[in-house]
């Protein structure tokens, strides 16, 4: 019959009849899938019991044969000790003739049901051990058990002192425990031999069970006397030696303990029973198997017929049982017992039978009574009636209290995972003592003498693996997992078990999620909520002498100062709730798991380093690199730009890098240490190296956010060196790992850019870059065992040259982008792809601006009359190329705003080109050249493209306003230059005036004077200046123009209009009084010019009146000038530098004096002309009046 899997049924409602509460299996039906629940009411005391069969190797139940009276059980049946189809693969185990339970039986069960260990189950043990514990208050027999704690689960195993010390006398092992036992407990210890009666009872029970099989076993010949004797002696040997204790666990003979001689190929480096899994980098459900199944060797086999999940009240136990279960016609499940009719059943036997039936969920007990081996009668008893049998009365409630008290006592005191505790009660004693054997063993010369060490370490490891593998694992269990792994590592000898050490350290590093956001630690953290799963290996319970029972560590002479805890009287175990409830035992204490970013990464790296050391120690020494001192820092190269070859050298390095990326796709493998691909060392080192690269990446990102750019570059260099080593070792590059590399290079590009922008702190950055911790040096030393780690040296050197830093940053982004082209990463990670392209566009903008500024600097240094140099033209080309590529990057990801900004910068570059051409030629013969016009028009085109890219102002108002301002400035500059340096040698005056007017009006169109913003005063000043210049131009045309009266009239109207608009705009500004005064004076001059063309005095007087009115309105400008001059005068001398910062035209005293002089002369002229005109008008009026008086009268 194959292994059975779990099945179950809910327990019946409380109050159901006992018979109805037991849903039994029919005859011949497999017990494997059915897990039955029962609620039993025994003697008025209710106990809740539910059993679920998790595994069974028993065959379909055989109906027992009722033996006839007078059957002699001393005679062997024909089928005795013979194999039979009815027995199934379990063989004689089903009939109770198996060897004594092995000392590691609980570990075998724990390995098979790893899901239950550490979390769901309170106890894992052989049913015989459970029964022995629950009978402690009733029995005078000795109790000796080993107790181990894994999470909230206790593993109980019989610790056969006699067998142990027999082995000790032969091998020398356990001598420390023997000496301790003889010194403190039993000074006259000697092995006690079992009586002949014991072997007699064992033999007739075996024969009775074989007789009870309903089959034709009589067809088999009866074994001869010699065979019987052999079987008897074999049985005796089995009983004494079957539970033989293994020596302290050692490496297999094929594996040397000397790590220098360890092998890597098909020979395992670890004992064959090691099993485990390691969580992957990002998805816990995708696990890498690093070990082979083989835990069934070395005595760790689960050899029980049944494994049952038994819930007794609120205690959950995983129990192993070999009890024979038979069918019996209308009794589909019964247990069969053989009793001597002369010996009445006592309490111990009753408890034994009752617990066996509860654990195996058997509703009835069949007892066969015999006298001296002769069958007398059968009797059937229901399970719930067993506690009420004559001479075997016991309270089920008391048994429940004993179970709860013992579990509470053990859980309260067996607090350290990985430690072996010894629960001991001497024969006839009422005192129960608990010792910590691990602590006692550590006081000896070889702390690895404890044979439980290896199985416990493996179980700790496996439970941690299992918890890590759960897809929906709650992170509040991470403290528990970390405790399990730390205790596992603490138990093992690093030189003997490098594979487990490396794997455990890797899993410890996996507990810390590097991509988590920073969290503040709080005492109310959910990590501390589950008191039974969150605990520290360092804690020790301080028992309360009153409430927590009578176990203590007092100085009473009867107490043992070596004991962890003592129960002074077994009678106390029967007192209800004498000890604390098992749910209140653990304090709210856990290992801290969530730390700030740097601490979290440093912990990860410490575990990675331990793992790497374990792996490296197991690789053959002859293939190692030449010995290097890990304490000697590996120099981080710092070269001046003169030795590096500048940005041009990056092209070759980039080409080599891309070739390497192509080879990775083909799976090239190279390792300097000689690791064999596919070996556990190879797999583990790959995982550890990848983890270290991630940790350094996160550290670099954190340093970047703190603006510690030198430190950030050091960490990203270590991350890239780790990744480079990973690439050398990897035989099949995963797309996920390539994505990591792209992210590393992106961050490296960010760091290089920030270093370029913060060149003033270069010394501090250099110091941070060159610093190295011992941990980093040792990790780097391990990396150098596999590769040179120079694959990304081009990206991580700290340069002193700004251009080089910008170029390296750009190449980092380009490399990150190239990587995304592999394996279709671009479509799989669209967000990262967009970020890379944005950064590429940004760095190209930065480089373009850098070259543009260099060109502008060369231009400013150049002699005015000199023509444009080739160096300037080369810088223009580089700058333009960078802007063009950046625009393409942004347009490819539909980033209209940034594309508009780069178009705007390209327009600015065109303006610089135009300015470069304006200096050629003699200043006195200066004219606006065609080259200037060409570049200014190109600038206009780029600004218009930027506006089209944005579409509307709503997309990004600030950028929209900036582009409009630049476009307005370009038109204004072009118009101003054409006006001031008119190209009269190439164009007619009228055409120039027309072009100037059009350019000025376009500048005015893109100059927003209405929107309230920081730029509004500038726009108003620009608009006022444009109107002023246009008015002046039309004024000048009017003065110089002869002939076309219509055109003259048009110019007169336009001049007057623009002067009016200029005045209105200048009056809105507080810092342009001189401009306002100048415009008003020009208006007065314009009025004077108009007056010269007037013939009538009335017209002239009207014009003069208007001019005087303008002069009066200049009062506002004079008030502003006076206010600013007073403020400037009143400012302390110490603040002389302040007005310079806020300098404006109004503070130019020479200009103010010049304007005042003009104002006075024009005012005098106007007043004088007014007086003359008024005087002449009065004279004419009198003459005309006297001359016309007579004729008028005559006419009348």
């Amino acid at each position: 019959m194959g292994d059975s899997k779990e099945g179950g049924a809910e327990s019946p409602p409380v109050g159901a009849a006992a018979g109805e509460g037991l849903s039994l299996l029919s005859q011949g039906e497999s017990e494997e899938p059915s897990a039955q629940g029962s609620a039993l009411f025994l003697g008025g005391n209710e106990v809740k019991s539910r059993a679920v069969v998790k595994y069974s190797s028993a065959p379909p139940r055989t109906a027992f044969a009722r033996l006839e009276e007078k059957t002699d059980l001393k005679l062997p049946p024909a089928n005795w000790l013979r194999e039979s189809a009815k027995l199934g693969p379990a063989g004689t185990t089903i009939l109770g003739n198996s060897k004594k339970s092995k000392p590691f039986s609980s570990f075998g069960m724990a390995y098979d049901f790893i899901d239950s260990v550490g979390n769901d189950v309170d106890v894992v043990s052989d049913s015989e051990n459970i029964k022995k514990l629950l009978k402690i208050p009733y029995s005078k027999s000795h109790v000796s058990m080993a107790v181990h704690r894994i999470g909230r689960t206790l593993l109980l195993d019989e610790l056969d002192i006699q067998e142990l010390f027999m082995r000790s006398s032969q091998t020398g092992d356990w001598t420390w425990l023997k000496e301790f036992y003889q010194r403190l407990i039993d000074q006259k210890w000697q092995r006690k031999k079992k009586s002949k009666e014991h072997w007699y009872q064992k033999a007739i029970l075996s024969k009775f069970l074989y007789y009870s099989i309903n089959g034709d076993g009589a067809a088999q010949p009866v074994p001869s006397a010699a065979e019987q004797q052999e079987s008897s002696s074999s049985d005796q040997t089995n009983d004494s030696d079957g539970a033989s204790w293994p020596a302290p666990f050692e490496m297999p003979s094929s594996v040397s303990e000397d790590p220098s001689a360890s092998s890597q190929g098909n020979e395992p480096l670890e004992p064959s029973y090691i099993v485990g899994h390691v969580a992957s980098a990002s998805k816990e459900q995708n696990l890498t198997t690093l070990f082979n199944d083989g835990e069934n060797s070395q005595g760790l086999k689960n050899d029980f017929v049944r494994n049952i999940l038994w819930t007794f009240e609120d205690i959950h136990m995983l129990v192993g049982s070999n009890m024979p279960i038979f069918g019996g016609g209308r009794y589909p499940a019964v247990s069969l017992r053989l009793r001597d009719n002369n010996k009445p059943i006592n309490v111990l036997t009753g408890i034994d039978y009752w617990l066996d039936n509860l654990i195996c969920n058997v509703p009835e007990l069949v007892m066969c009574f015999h006298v001296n081996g002769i069958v007398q009668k059968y009797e059937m008893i229901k399970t719930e009636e067993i506690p009420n049998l004559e001479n075997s009365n016991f309270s089920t409630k008391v048994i429940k209290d004993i179970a709860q008290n013992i579990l509470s006592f053990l859980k309260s005191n067996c607090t350290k995972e990985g430690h072996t505790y010894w629960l001991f009660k001497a024969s006839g004693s009422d005192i129960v003592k608990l010792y910590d054997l691990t602590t006692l063993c550590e006081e000896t010369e070889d702390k690895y003498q404890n044979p439980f060490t290896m199985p416990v370490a493996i179980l700790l490891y496996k439970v941690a693996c299992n918890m890590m593998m759960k897809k929906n694992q709650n992170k509040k269990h991470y403290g528990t997992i970390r405790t399990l792994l730390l205790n596992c590592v603490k138990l093992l000898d690093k030189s003997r078990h490098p594979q487990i050490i490396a794997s455990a350290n890797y899993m410890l590093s996996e507990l810390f999620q590097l991509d988590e956001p920073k969290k503040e630690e709080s005492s109310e953290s959910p990590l501390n909520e589950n008191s039974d799963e969150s605990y520290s290996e360092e804690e020790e319970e301080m028992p309360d002498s009153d409430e927590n029972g009578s176990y203590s560590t007092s100085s009473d002479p009867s107490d043992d100062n070596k004991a962890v805890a003592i129960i002074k009287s077994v009678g106390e175990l029967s007192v209800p709730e004498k000890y604390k409830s098992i749910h209140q035992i653990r304090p709210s204490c856990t290992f801290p798991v969530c730390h700030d970013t740097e601490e979290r990464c440093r912990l990860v790296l410490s575990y990675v380093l331990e793992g790497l050391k374990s792996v490296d120690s197991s690789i053959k020494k002859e293939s190692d690199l030449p010995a290097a001192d890990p304490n000697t820092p590996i120099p981080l190269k710092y070269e001046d730009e003169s030795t590096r070859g500048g940005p041009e050298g990056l092209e070759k390095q980039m080409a080599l890098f891309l070739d390497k990326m192509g080879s990775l796709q083909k799976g090239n493998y190279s390792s300097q240490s000689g690791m064999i691909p596919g070996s556990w060392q190879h797999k583990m080192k790959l995982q550890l190296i990848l983890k270290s690269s991630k940790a350094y990446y996160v550290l670099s990102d954190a340093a970047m956010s703190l603006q510690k750019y030198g430190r950030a570059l050091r960490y990203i260099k270590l991350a890239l060196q780790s990744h480079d080593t990973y690439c050398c070792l990897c035989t099949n590059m995963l797309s996920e790992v390539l994505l990591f590399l792209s992210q590393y290079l992106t961050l490296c590009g960010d760091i290089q850019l920030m270093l370029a922008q913060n060149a003033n702190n270069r010394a501090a950055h250099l110091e941070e870059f060159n610093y190295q911790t011992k941990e980093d040096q040792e990790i780097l030393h391990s990396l150098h065992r596999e590769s040179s780690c120079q694959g990304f040296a081009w990206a991580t050197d700290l340069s002193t040259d700004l251009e080089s830093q910008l170029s390296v940053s750009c190449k980092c982004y380009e490399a990150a982008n190239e990587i995304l082209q592999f394996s279709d990463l671009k479509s799989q990670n669209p967000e990262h792809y967009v970020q890379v392209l944005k950064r590429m566009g940004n760095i190209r903008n930065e480089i373009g601006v850098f070259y543009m500024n260099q060109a502008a600097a060369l231009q400013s240094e150049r002699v005015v009359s000199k023509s444009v140099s080739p160096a300037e033209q080369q810088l223009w080309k580089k700058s333009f190329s960078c802007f063009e590529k950046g625009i393409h990057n942004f347009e490819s990801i539909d980033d209209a705003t940034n594309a508009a900004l780069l178009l705007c910068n390209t327009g600015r570059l065109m303006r610089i080109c135009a300015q470069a051409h304006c200096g050629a030629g003699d200043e006195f013969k200066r004219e606006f050249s065609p080259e200037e016009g060409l570049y200014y028009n190109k600038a206009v085109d780029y600004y218009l493209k930027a506006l089209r890219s944005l579409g509307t102002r709503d997309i990004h108002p600030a950028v929209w306003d900036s582009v409009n301002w630049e476009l307005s400035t370009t038109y204004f500059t072009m118009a101003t230059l054409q006006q001031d340096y008119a190209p009269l040698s190439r164009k007619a005056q009228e055409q120039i005036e027309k072009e100037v007017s059009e350019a000025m009006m376009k500048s005015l169109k893109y100059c927003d004077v209405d929107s309230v913003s920081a730029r509004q005063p500038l726009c108003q000043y620009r608009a006022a200046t444009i109107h002023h210049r246009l008015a002046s131009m039309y004024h000048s045309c009017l003065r110089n123009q002869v002939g076309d009266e219509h055109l003259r009239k048009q110019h007169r109207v336009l001049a007057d209009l623009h002067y009016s608009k200029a005045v209105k705009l200048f009056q809105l500004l507080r810092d342009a009084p001189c401009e306002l005064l100048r415009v008003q004076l020009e208006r007065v001059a314009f009025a004077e010019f108009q007056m010269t063309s007037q013939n009538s005095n009335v017209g002239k007087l009207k014009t003069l009146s208007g001019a005087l009115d303008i002069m009066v309105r200049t009062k506002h400008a004079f008030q502003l000038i006076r206010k600013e001059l007073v403020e400037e005068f009143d400012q302390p001398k110490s603040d002389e530098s302040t007005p310079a910062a806020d300098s404006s035209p109004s503070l130019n005293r020479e200009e103010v004096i010049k304007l005042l002089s003009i104002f006075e002369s024009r005012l005098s002229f106007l007043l004088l002309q007014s007086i003359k005109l008024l005087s002449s008008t009065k004279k004419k009026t009198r003459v005309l009046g006297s001359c016309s008086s007579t004729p008028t009268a005559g006419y009348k």
Side-chain angles (χ1 to χ4, degrees), residues 708-719:
K708 301 290 186 181
Y709 304 123
R711 185 192 308 173
L713 185 62
R714 168 163 55 90
Y715 284 138
I716 202 64
K717 178 167 187 172
L718 288 164

Side-chain angles (χ1 to χ4, degrees), residues 1148-1161:
N1148 189 334
R1149 295 194 178 194
E1150 292 182 1
E1151 186 177 5
V1152 171
I1153 293 170
K1154 182 179 178 181
L1155 290 172
L1156 281 174
S1157 175
I1158 296 171
F1159 177 83
E1160 288 175 4
S1161 65

Side-chain angles (χ1 to χ4, degrees), residues 539-709:
E539 70 186 16
E540 297 217 9
E541 286 290 323
M542 295 302 294
D544 298 326
S545 58
D546 296 329
E547 298 179 6
N548 211 25
S550 299
Y551 59 92
S552 65
T553 56
S554 66
S555 58
D556 190 293
S558 64
D559 290 349
D560 179 2
N561 60 5
K562 294 285 187 180
V564 174
I566 297 173
I567 298 176
K568 293 181 180 179
S569 173
V570 293
E572 293 177 351
L573 293 173
S574 304
V575 180
E577 298 184 2
K578 179 66 177 177
Y579 303 104
K580 289 181 180 179
S581 167
I582 60 173
H583 300 296
Q584 299 173 353
I585 290 174
R586 309 307 315 167
S588 294
C589 181
T590 181
F591 277 104
V593 170
C594 289
H595 304 270
D596 61 68
T597 301
E598 186 162 0
E599 187 178 0
R600 189 163 62 237
C601 291
R602 277 293 162 197
L603 274 170
V604 167
L605 289 170
S606 69
Y607 295 131
V608 167
L609 177 58
E610 289 303 314
L612 289 172
K613 285 180 177 178
S614 295
V615 173
D616 292 341
S617 69
S618 69
I619 300 174
K620 292 182 179 180
K621 297 294 182 182
E622 52 266 28
S623 63
D624 283 353
L625 289 172
D629 182 6
N631 296 321
T632 303
I634 295 173
L636 295 170
K637 293 184 179 179
Y638 170 71
E639 298 178 358
D640 192 75
E641 182 57 33
S642 59
T643 62
R644 286 186 50 184
E648 293 76 9
L650 287 175
E651 299 297 336
K652 294 180 181 179
Q653 292 170 328
M654 273 295 295
L656 291 172
F657 165 74
L658 294 176
D659 287 343
K660 182 175 182 179
M661 293 309 302
S663 68
L664 285 178
Q665 297 301 103
K666 302 173 186 176
N668 290 350
Y669 171 84
S670 62
S671 168
Q672 295 179 2
S673 68
M675 276 195 304
I676 299 172
S679 64
W680 75 263
Q681 290 100 328
H682 177 248
K683 293 178 182 178
M684 181 53 66
K685 193 156 191 178
L686 274 176
Q687 296 290 340
L688 290 167
I689 289 172
L690 188 61
K691 192 70 179 180
S692 71
S693 72
K694 290 181 188 177
Y696 282 126
Y697 168 73
V698 174
L699 279 171
S700 179
D701 190 47
M704 179 80 170
S705 64
L706 295 174
Q707 299 181 356
K708 301 290 186 181
Y709 304 123

